[in-house]
Amino acid sequence: MVSSNGPVGVTFRNNVFAGAPAGSPIADTHNTYDHNLYARTPGIPAGDTGAVRADPLFVTPDDVRLRAGSPALGAGLRVQDGGTRDFFGNPVPDPPNIGADQGPGK
């Protein structure tokens, strides 16, 4: 991934970056990364002090809900005014999960 989001950049927080099976580098010195999970990405962007490097344990490759025991469960950082429900309609816990699924794990 190479990103350039304007003159001041953006912050990527509580995201899952899952690379291709052979690995996918993140070449980005412009943006800020915080509390993300990295799978199959060589290296972690500098400054992501809350980074998790692991398999996110998705239900399937096409189903991004988290399985029980996922390292993403409860590993996120609360985002002020970040919303109260996730993509699937689950309430956002405190602390939140990393990724789109805020449920307890399948």
Side-chain angles (χ1 to χ4, degrees), residues 52-64:
V52 176
R53 175 173 277 234
D55 181 339
L57 299 179
F58 291 144
V59 171
T60 69
D62 296 325
D63 184 343
V64 298

Side-chain angles (χ1 to χ4, degrees), residues 33-81:
Y33 292 79
D34 186 28
H35 282 79
N36 297 294
L37 184 145
Y38 302 90
R40 300 178 306 279
T41 59
I44 293 173
D48 193 341
T49 58
V52 176
R53 175 173 277 234
D55 181 339
L57 299 179
F58 291 144
V59 171
T60 69
D62 296 325
D63 184 343
V64 298
R65 291 176 298 162
L66 303 171
R67 292 187 308 208
S70 170
L73 294 170
L77 186 66
R78 182 161 265 318
V79 176
Q80 186 174 352
D81 299 324

Side-chain angles (χ1 to χ4, degrees), residues 13-42:
R13 182 175 289 131
N14 297 338
N15 293 282
V16 174
F17 293 99
S24 299
I26 297 175
D28 180 4
T29 58
H30 187 69
N31 297 297
T32 302
Y33 292 79
D34 186 28
H35 282 79
N36 297 294
L37 184 145
Y38 302 90
R40 300 178 306 279
T41 59

